[in-house]
Amino acid sequence: MAEIRILPESLANRIAAGEVVERPASVVKELVENSLDAGARRVEVVLRDGGKKLIEVRDDGAGMTQEDAVLAVQRFATSKITEADDLDAINTMGFRGEALPSIGAVSQTKITTRRHDEAEGTALLIEGGEITDLRVVGCAPGTTVQVANLFYNTPARRKFLGTTATERGHCLDWCSRLALARPEVAYQVTHNDAVALNTPGAGDLRSVLAVVYGSQTARQLLPVDLQVRGLRISGFVSAPQVTRATRRHQLFFVNRRFVRSRMLSHALTEAYGMLLPAGKQPVAVVSLEIDPSQVDPNVHPTKIEVRFSNQGEIHSLVQQAVEAALAEAGYRSLTQPAPPRAAREAELPTGRFAPPGFDELGQVKRLRVNPLFDQVDERDEGLEVHAAPAGLAEAAAPQAADEGARALAAEEPTVLGQLSATYIVVQHGKDLLLVDQHRSAERVIFERLIAQPRRIARQLLAVPVTLELAPEEAAAVEDYRELLGEMGFELEQFGGGSYILRSVPAQLTHGNPQEIMQGIIAELAEWQSSSEMMDRREAMLATVSCHAAVKAGQRLSAEEMQQLVADLLQTQTPATCPHGDPVIVTMDAGQISRKFHRS
């Protein structure tokens, strides 16, 4: 009996659907893209229970005849390509036909459509990939697709969908990207009868940015516009003081299709150079219009990744476009561009010879100061030890006392100084310790917090802070609102993606509450797509500890260093921070002697 068999068409369709339909947001993306390819000027999206119960997309596009509507739900049917050569010059959002076969295979789908030049429309119903009803109806011009009970016939897939807030966030995230790609199209998204997104469709990208990111952020974005050799780069990037903790808010579009590209992200980061504080990322919405024959959109099944025929040139031009935008706003000069980040962060290579210009780059690292922040950027500092006050240094030196007294004194840690405003240099007995000041503070704060009762003490803010969140961030807040409350964060929804922060944990009263809260919410949004099972309370406490701790690059007084080391040694696990990273590097007397060839 043969081991290999041909699968039934219905089962093959369900498997094929997995390439396109991952979650409700995948359906929203495909249907809205089809509306845009049909020339729609207005698109309405209706969601129920995050799209798990219902997704409805209405448009005023070209519509379809009955014959085309029936063909559109067949596999390998498309209106977007006719021959193989068309794959090299795709101008549409995709070429998967209407993506309807895959969607219809795992849902109950109804399509109602009518061309503008016809008096009657067509309605057809697809269940599990089969057309179960087809009739002539009266309807408005355009197309309406209703997708109900997604994954009703694949319960294993349905079981792994996220919460309603999570799926709502993913749907809104895709709608926001598509709205930013086509600001001339009016979009309205409603969820459970509440308007979640509404753009004017006036063609003004900044007005769409104000809807998606909030008016305060939109006002601080800088325009980007560069046109050269058949390529146009346009959009907006943030001023250096407007940053986020992750790259989530860096959106790139190629021929008005959203893409993910490490190369484009790298070019953006290079343009900012040392203007960004460590660990922060700019906000960016950058669009590239390029000859379709110069870009390959078929790298990924969902067309979310692309490959350029001239990667190096595209990288250079995007970097130049962003640098010009920053220079126009007065944040940097183009007369002496900063060296590439890789060169700035390079260490002296092994061997006898350094690369050309290495000394000059080293001087840049030692002398350049970030003009937007009070303290020296930690990435620009040389490896120098900042000595503690003389009295403390003398305490570390061997004293003329009896052996017993010296042995007893050696049991107590003695701070010798601070290395690069990041590590505390400590003598402990005969050992030399390097203590990461940020991670050690994390460990100390974490153990204090975890020892508290379930609800952590909070501090009301004298002036409440308004936060404008992206859709996925708002979804994360809704998912973890109870946990945030236990941690001391009191957040109140103010309408749309706006929230008011009224209190923070008492441990965070010395920081910037808006920046801290945005960083925590960004991490929560990352949890939305993470399959890692972990104790959410401990994870949240670790996040709070991270934001409350002293930072790398922060100068500490001798007393602060001594107290931090003492507190660290009193914790249960001083060797690692709450995230599992090492806190202390130890070198004993024998290792030091061997380094000096004394043994």
Side-chain angles (χ1 to χ4, degrees):
M1 185 176 179
E3 294 290 334
I4 298 175
R5 62 188 64 85
I6 304 298
L7 293 175
E9 185 176 355
S10 60
L11 180 56
N13 287 343
R14 291 191 202 178
I15 295 172
E19 294 183 9
V20 179
V21 185
E22 179 185 359
R23 61 195 328 153
S26 309
V27 175
V28 171
K29 169 187 179 293
E30 295 289 346
L31 294 182
V32 174
E33 285 183 345
N34 286 331
S35 296
L36 297 174
D37 283 340
R41 301 294 297 181
R42 179 172 179 81
V43 179
E44 299 178 23
V45 180
V46 177
L47 303 171
R48 296 280 182 188
D49 294 343
K52 293 183 288 186
K53 187 174 182 180
L54 175 69
I55 301 167
E56 181 176 333
V57 177
R58 299 191 291 260
D59 69 60
D60 60 354
M64 293 180 284
T65 65
Q66 184 174 104
E67 181 182 7
D68 282 344
V70 172
L71 287 173
V73 297
Q74 307 300 316
R75 292 188 68 191
F76 309 117
T78 179
S79 61
K80 302 175 183 178
I81 61 173
T82 57
E83 55 187 22
D85 290 343
D86 292 341
L87 294 176
D88 296 327
I90 296 174
N91 282 307
T92 58
M93 301 296 284
F95 65 90
R96 289 183 172 275
E98 314 312 320
L100 294 176
S102 294
I103 296 170
V106 290
S107 68
Q108 296 165 327
T109 301
K110 181 180 180 181
I111 302 171
T112 306
T113 183
R114 174 191 149 198
R115 290 184 60 85
H116 289 254
D117 57 357
E118 294 187 348
E120 296 178 318
T122 300
L124 67 158
L125 181 65
I126 307 101
E127 295 186 83
E130 299 292 332
I131 297 177
T132 59
D133 189 26
L134 175 65
R135 64 182 65 185
V136 174
V137 296
C139 61
T143 302
T144 297
V145 182
Q146 295 173 309
V147 179
N149 302 319
L150 187 63
F151 300 134
Y152 81 100
N153 55 353
T154 52
R157 296 282 301 277
R158 189 175 182 87
K159 181 175 66 175
F160 285 97
L161 291 177
T163 65
T164 293
T166 297
E167 298 302 338
R168 170 186 177 273
H170 285 296
C171 290
L172 284 175
D173 196 42
W174 262 113
C175 288
S176 299
R177 294 169 184 169
L178 293 167
L180 291 167
R182 299 285 187 97
E184 72 278 8
V185 178
Y187 299 81
Q188 184 181 76
V189 182
T190 60
H191 181 261
N192 292 347
D193 299 324
V195 176
L197 181 72
N198 197 2
T199 67
D204 178 22
L205 179 56
R206 195 186 288 271
S207 67
V208 181
L209 287 165
V211 173
V212 175
Y213 291 114
S215 56
Q216 181 178 358
T217 299
R219 283 193 297 269
Q220 299 182 76
L221 297 179
L222 312 174
V224 174
D225 197 355
L226 177 67
Q227 191 162 0
V228 59
R229 294 191 293 277
L231 170 69
R232 185 184 179 193
I233 303 168
S234 61
F236 289 87
V237 296
S238 63
Q241 63 266 32
V242 181
T243 59
R244 297 292 185 268
T246 68
R247 297 182 187 272
R248 179 182 294 274
H249 300 283
Q250 295 175 8
L251 306 182
F252 298 98
F253 301 91
V254 175
N255 293 339
R256 304 208 285 187
R257 182 193 291 119
F258 171 75
V259 300
R260 292 195 179 101
S261 170
R262 291 184 180 179
M263 181 270 288
L264 295 177
S265 291
H266 183 266
L268 177 70
T269 305
E270 288 295 296
Y272 279 85
M274 305 307 294
L275 291 174
L276 292 175
K280 296 295 183 179
Q281 298 294 335
V283 176
V285 177
V286 177
S287 177
L288 283 73
E289 296 177 30
I290 188 173
D291 183 347
S293 64
Q294 300 301 307
V295 58
D296 179 8
N298 300 314
V299 179
H300 191 276
T302 62
K303 310 296 179 286
I304 205 169
E305 296 179 12
V306 296
R307 182 182 295 114
F308 298 96
S309 61
N310 49 348
Q311 296 270 106
E313 183 180 7
I314 296 296
H315 181 286
S316 177
L317 290 173
V318 170
Q319 181 177 342
Q320 289 178 38
V322 177
E323 286 177 348
L326 293 169
E328 181 71 20
Y331 289 104
R332 60 167 301 163
S333 170
L334 292 180
T335 56
Q336 293 185 353
R341 180 179 296 270
R344 287 197 307 271
E345 295 184 348
E347 295 182 0
L348 185 63
T350 56
R352 181 173 298 178
F353 301 104
F358 185 86
D359 291 338
E360 290 79 6
L361 292 177
Q363 188 175 16
V364 169
K365 288 183 67 176
R366 288 191 295 274
L367 300 181
R368 188 169 180 181
V369 176
N370 191 327
L372 296 176
F373 299 89
D374 292 336
Q375 59 193 25
V376 175
D377 192 306
E378 63 179 310
R379 295 167 295 179
D380 291 340
E381 296 181 28
L383 293 180
E384 50 183 321
V385 174
H386 304 284
L392 193 60
E394 290 170 4
Q399 303 296 315
D402 63 282
E403 290 292 330
R406 284 204 304 271
L408 182 62
E411 295 300 324
E412 294 297 326
T414 302
V415 173
L416 304 179
Q418 191 179 22
L419 178 65
S420 296
T422 300
Y423 307 102
I424 301 173
V425 185
V426 180
Q427 179 183 346
H428 192 215
K430 294 184 178 181
D431 296 337
L432 181 69
L433 313 181
L434 287 180
V435 180
D436 187 305
Q437 64 190 42
H438 173 67
R439 293 175 182 174
S440 60
E442 274 189 278
R443 169 54 62 186
V444 171
I445 295 170
F446 178 78
E447 293 204 4
R448 289 174 180 171
L449 289 175
I450 207 166
Q452 291 187 21
R454 188 76 182 177
R455 186 167 291 276
I456 290 174
R458 68 180 66 196
Q459 175 68 50
L460 290 175
L461 298 177
V463 179
V465 173
T466 300
L467 303 171
E468 294 173 326
L469 307 180
E472 281 196 344
E473 294 174 331
V477 168
E478 292 302 318
D479 267 359
Y480 296 103
R481 183 185 288 275
E482 182 178 350
L483 184 57
L484 285 166
E486 291 179 2
M487 296 300 103
F489 297 102
E490 183 183 349
L491 282 162
E492 176 185 330
Q493 191 169 18
F494 191 58
S498 297
Y499 286 78
I500 296 177
L501 176 64
R502 299 194 179 278
S503 72
V504 297
Q507 294 280 354
L508 296 182
T509 53
H510 299 297
N512 181 330
Q514 180 173 4
E515 183 178 332
I516 290 170
M517 192 73 251
Q518 284 178 332
I520 290 173
I521 292 173
E523 290 194 31
L524 290 180
E526 292 291 338
W527 291 2
Q528 302 289 313
S529 56
S530 173
S531 59
E532 181 182 1
M533 299 302 294
M534 60 191 301
D535 186 287
R536 292 306 192 195
R537 184 173 188 272
E538 286 197 8
M540 175 69 80
L541 289 175
T543 298
V544 172
S545 302
C546 179
H547 288 281
V550 297
K551 302 296 185 286
Q554 182 175 337
R555 306 286 189 198
L556 300 179
S557 68
E559 292 74 16
E560 288 172 330
M561 289 188 281
Q562 191 76 44
Q563 186 63 53
L564 180 55
V565 172
D567 291 342
L568 174 66
L569 297 181
Q570 293 299 315
T571 61
Q572 296 293 321
T573 53
T576 60
C577 76
H579 299 96
D581 296 317
V583 174
I584 303 172
V585 173
T586 304
M587 183 177 293
D588 61 32
Q591 290 174 302
I592 296 174
S593 295
R594 286 192 293 275
K595 292 287 185 182
F596 284 101
H597 297 239
R598 290 183 179 275
S599 59

